[in-house]
Amino acid sequence: MKAMKILVFFLCCLPLKPALSRHSRYHAIFSLGDSHSDTGNYPRTEAVAFQVIKSLPYGETFFRNATGRCSDGRLIVDFIAEAFGLPYLPPYLAVAKGPHVRIRKGVNFAVAGASAINSSFFSAQKIALWTNDSLSVQLGWFKNLKSSLCTTEQECDEYFKKSLFLVGEIGENDYNFPALSGQSIKQLRALVPLVVGAITRAVSMLIEEGAVDLMVPGQLPVGCTSMFLTVFQSANESAYDNRTGCLKAYDAFFKYHNNYLKQELQNLKRGLERSVLYWMVASRLKKKMSSNKSSNASPVPTEEYRAA
């Protein structure tokens, strides 16, 4: 039988370089996900929504120009790359359309607005997403690129064992768009097995392709986001957390998702040999930021994330 470890990272107390320096052997990073990690794929798609991402103030604080990131500066994936002394990950669609982009040190497949479940599932329910480039599409991009990274099985094994794969954050849009279309939390809970199943299948497929070390982030508590606080505001004070001001019901829902995903990842370890999964939870970070916006003591990046 094969074995696999699952480690837990709480991002709120994660100074990236010290915590990850023991894995300084990483020579490349490959990232799949949504707007939390997209470094520029979305503006290169055929999507028509959210074109504002192409202009300032996106990118104004660090890059000094809009890069396609849903932030005025860097994303967590950028800080992870910095921690390993690697360049910022080029978006896959820039690689696909520009042969001069270097890819040996990693590529970003994430797309803002992407879902874990295939987009056809939502279109059948008349729920419009920003993009059709779901997690399965991103996996297809990786498979298309693989032959440019390595050719023989031995070469791929050597290359990927020195690479870090980030699978997410993804899944939030599978809930956000239905919620904004009027679905109840009870209806959203019915989606959790489908969303988690899509994520764990992606992890399994990457392992089959040669991935060894994978980081799978949990969901942020959307009850703390300005969009949910605005759209789902309540006159009932009991709907809010007294300490953070976040919407308790939606935070509880995403905690349910995280627990479900964590359990499925633990189940996944059965039958695996060499792969290591890093389970990353960011909920305490988000709540800390919500309850203490004026503090400059946080050890995490200060750039502002601008998309829900």
Side-chain angles (χ1 to χ4, degrees), residues 142-282:
F142 170 73
K143 290 180 179 180
N144 291 340
L145 189 69
K146 184 178 177 181
S147 61
S148 300
L149 299 167
C150 57
T151 52
T152 67
E153 182 177 354
Q154 181 178 357
E155 183 184 3
C156 290
D157 284 346
E158 287 298 315
Y159 179 67
F160 289 132
K161 76 180 182 182
K162 297 178 181 178
S163 302
L164 175 64
F165 287 78
L166 306 177
V167 187
E169 185 271 353
I170 193 162
E172 182 177 324
N173 293 308
D174 298 71
Y175 306 124
N176 285 357
F177 286 100
L180 294 172
S181 71
Q183 290 194 12
S184 66
I185 291 180
K186 182 178 180 180
Q187 290 173 301
L188 297 181
R189 285 177 69 95
L191 295 176
V192 172
L194 301 178
V195 175
V196 170
I199 296 171
T200 53
R201 283 193 299 275
V203 171
S204 295
M205 291 175 65
L206 287 170
I207 292 172
E208 290 175 3
E209 293 293 332
V212 176
D213 287 7
L214 303 96
M215 180 177 289
V216 185
Q219 294 289 331
L220 295 168
V222 298
C224 300
T225 64
S226 56
M227 181 183 72
F228 270 70
L229 289 169
T230 301
V231 175
F232 300 108
Q233 59 183 302
S234 174
N236 185 354
E237 293 185 2
S238 65
Y240 299 90
D241 185 290
N242 291 332
R243 184 175 58 87
T244 64
C246 302
L247 287 164
K248 293 190 292 186
Y250 286 98
D251 280 358
F253 167 73
F254 277 90
K255 183 177 180 180
Y256 171 73
H257 165 94
N258 286 342
N259 288 337
Y260 198 107
L261 176 58
K262 186 176 180 179
Q263 182 59 55
E264 289 304 303
L265 291 174
Q266 290 173 335
N267 293 339
L268 186 61
K269 70 182 179 182
R270 301 186 182 96
L272 296 177
E273 182 175 68
R274 59 179 186 169
S275 296
V276 180
L277 290 185
Y278 299 95
W279 162 253
M280 186 169 68
V281 181

Side-chain angles (χ1 to χ4, degrees), residues 121-138:
F121 173 85
F122 299 98
S123 60
Q125 301 181 58
K126 309 299 182 184
I127 297 174
L129 304 180
W130 281 2
T131 177
N132 295 326
D133 297 321
S134 64
L135 187 54
S136 64
V137 172
Q138 296 173 34

